[in-house]
Amino acid sequence: MTDKTDKSEKSALDRSTLLPLFGTGWKMAESKDALEKTFLFKDFKQAFAFMTKVADDAEALNHHPEWSNVYRTVKVRLTTHDTGGLTKLDVDLARRMDTAAGY
Ligand SMILES: C[C@H](O)[C@H](O)[C@H]1CNC2=NC(N)=NC(=O)C2=N1
């Protein structure tokens, strides 16, 4: 039996890959094509430091978040624009964001 799963970074996801992320506060968007999470930090500088760190991670992955910052809150939505859905890159970036936030 040949393995037919697409190993490319932008292939669709196995749901089990998402379970650990649900454990750290990520939610599936209503539209089912994105992951969402709101990060709350001690203050604005911590929030901005988080975004600066994640900017490096995003560039390293060439995969970028949709996000907004108000004071000490950063709201994040992760989806793969090129495929219009969730891929491994979204999971990788979510994990890196949790690490950057100290999860
Ligand atoms: C040309 C460039 O490599 C692509 O547009 C990259 C950039 N960052 C990206 N970020 C996200 N979230 N999805 C993409 O499909 C994507 N594609």
Side-chain angles (χ1 to χ4, degrees):
M1 164 79 165
T2 53
D3 175 2
K4 294 210 182 337
T5 50
D6 172 2
K7 294 276 187 273
S8 80
E9 291 281 299
K10 298 203 171 180
S11 60
L13 270 187
D14 178 320
R15 285 265 173 261
S16 64
T17 314
L18 299 171
L19 293 179
L21 293 176
F22 296 150
T24 60
W26 290 92
K27 303 248 185 295
M28 182 68 80
E30 283 294 305
S31 53
K32 300 277 189 247
D33 62 352
L35 287 169
E36 295 173 339
K37 180 170 179 176
T38 298
F39 292 86
L40 180 62
F41 295 93
K42 183 169 66 74
D43 55 30
F44 172 71
K45 286 188 73 172
Q46 292 291 321
F48 201 84
F50 164 76
M51 296 179 84
T52 302
K53 169 73 182 72
V54 171
D56 286 341
D57 292 325
E59 283 296 289
L61 289 173
N62 187 30
H63 197 71
H64 303 84
E66 297 171 11
W67 53 1
S68 61
N69 161 241
V70 176
Y71 181 37
R72 62 193 191 117
T73 298
V74 179
K75 284 190 177 174
V76 180
R77 185 177 188 272
L78 300 179
T79 187
T80 300
H81 305 135
D82 293 348
T83 65
L86 275 177
T87 66
K88 185 179 171 308
L89 287 169
D90 297 304
V91 174
D92 289 352
L93 186 54
R95 287 178 181 147
R96 290 181 189 221
M97 292 182 109
D98 280 348
T99 301
Y103 277 73

